[in-house]
Amino acid sequence: MQFRILPAFVLSVAISCSHGYAQKEDLSVLNYWNYYNGQPAALYHHLSQTAFSQLEERQSAVSKLKTLADWKTRQATVRKKLQETVGAFPPKTPLNPVITGTVKRDGVVAENLYFESLPGYYVTAALFKPENSTGSLPAIIFCSGHSENGYRSETYQHIILNYVKKGFAVLAFDPVGQGERIQYFKADGTNRFGPTHEHSYPGSQTFLAGISPARYFIWDGIRAVDYLLTRDDIDPVRIGITGRSGGGTQSAYIAAFDERILAAAPENYLTTFDKLLKSNGPQDAEQNLYHVLAQGLDQGDFVQVRAPKPLLMVTTTRDIFSIQGARDLFKESMNAYSAYGKKDHLMMVEDDAGHASTLKNREASYAFFQKYLNNPGSSKDEDTRKFTDQELYVTSTGNVYNSIKGENLFSVSRQFSENVIAQRKNQSLTLTTLAPVVKKVTGYQTPPRQKEAFVFSGRIHRAGYAIEKYLVAGPGKYYLPVLWLKPEKITGKPVLIYNENGKSAAAEPDALADLLVKKGHEVILADLSGAGELSDGYMKGGDAEIDGTSLNLWFAGILINKSLVGIRMEEMELVSGFIKQQTGAESGLQAIATGTFGADLLHAAVANPQHFTQIALLNPLVSYQSIAGKENYHTRFIPSAVPGALAHYDLPDLVHALSVKNILMINPVDAEGKITGSVSDKNSVIKKVIDWVK
């Protein structure tokens, strides 16, 4: 057994030095091939094709539902699967509600309050109701979209105050990361993120333990219902829910999980996943339920599981959520309501507008709740005068974490991860037992061999060796750019290098690959998805690009139970097969991975140990637990993190299992990018790596 952890060094200097040749070579491969060079979308297309296949299976199953008994069976199945996608809810604990103040204006009274949806996890809210009202009022839970000030925004207050003027009580609460629940700040006290990043940054951490961040959003809503039921001025059988955009997401979720909600009107959210994937793609974390498509579910199931309870889909034709998808969803869901004989309980209103709340749609929503919560009256939209943000502050500082302290989404997620890790502490994890677990959790599958497995793309020369260019067929309909450095005289075994900055960076003169080939080793450099010529596969922009790393594709993989690590494991297998085919070698390869790709190589080596005789990891992430446990982690580690892994294993478990081989680790870092050892001179470290290579 050979297992060494060497002192740290500054990898960027060691792997790619600054000086080069007088004339810069073109080390790209794809730019020659116009047909193959649609790479930025290739990985997304690959993931989407899996999603479309899963959605087709679901659609086939739903199309066979004919009778009420069929639909009831389907609803029971959906309820079970929905719970699996978000994770089991915690036991209900005391709400400990506190009303911190009351403000009045224009016949409306607003009670500022907070309650604990979990112990020490405070939800700031306001209960708006008509002044001098008597008896039990019908109540509407209002879920805010992605506004920085939550329900205090002028747009949302206008809707809330209109409901109150029509005789409803409205309980509006701040979602995670909005209003008085903003979690992340810069050193100068200003907000570090906008609302979507406030969701996706800690939300990504929850996925590592195998649960959806939506679990906490939904739980806040369920506890909001619990709070309403403690009040004598609220009618417990006349409760509705609504919200727009991110609030549409929340209201659709909460209504699907809480049967005490009689009527629901999600706005500017509901569509179908096939249209979502074909348009804007997956966005912030809570809108992506863990393995939801792999479970055979679509957004229509949020509606159909509620049948025959009243539901109004509030839509616009130019929304960021496809109107065609909304229409398709409505048509399919009507079959469930028809089976119950309640076609009139499912409605859809649409207006010609963008992602906005329009007059037509607002008045349709007022009329819907007036009818189904039995509170008749005029549905005309009225002018309102909003409360100031300060008037609606629940806490003295306008931020619950400054005023009351308590838990935030990061801390409750970290505690959940720690509990998950503790439950598997006594597991015996060997290479034999880990391999099938790693394959299952990552979504890895043995990749198919394409007819044109590789394409030779030319050769250039340097002093003492040649560089050959290849395209190697990937696991989807795309190719991996590969450089093969061949010395004039081969005296050592081939070395495979995966560099997180791309193959061209690894091929710089005087970098590690250059030094190895000059010592007689063939060196193969391959770009994997996310690096080099394939670095644009991550859907730049969108709601989930944080600190230069786009998480959108990682979220897409979560939907279908196909991690990006699993895809790169398949890519590594195809590259290894290509090398063995070209060299005729029967034994495994020597492989080196830098930076974030260390986690990918570890997984590949555990899943298919026959492909590698020894591996070296330079600047690898020390553990996934480090991501889950660091409040200010670096998002660049997320694409090489495996959702759900912490429930089964962590990176040190993979290292331990591979200790039967020759494994070299240099400069492990934590999720904040901090070196976990001392820094060594770069030249001595390079020498140790070169000495390690056989």
Side-chain angles (χ1 to χ4, degrees), residues 493-512:
K493 295 182 178 180
V495 181
L496 174 58
I497 298 179
Y498 294 111
N499 188 297
E500 66 173 348
N501 296 316
K503 65 186 183 323
S504 296
E508 287 289 323
D510 293 335
L512 183 59

Side-chain angles (χ1 to χ4, degrees), residues 15-53:
I15 296 302
S16 54
C17 296
S18 60
H19 53 280
Y21 291 123
Q23 184 176 359
K24 188 78 172 177
E25 313 107 322
D26 179 9
L27 297 179
S28 62
V29 183
L30 282 169
N31 63 351
Y32 179 84
W33 300 97
N34 290 331
Y35 182 80
Y36 298 127
N37 203 16
Q39 296 294 154
L43 180 57
Y44 184 58
H45 287 167
H46 181 49
L47 292 166
S48 295
Q49 286 303 317
T50 299
F52 298 151
S53 296

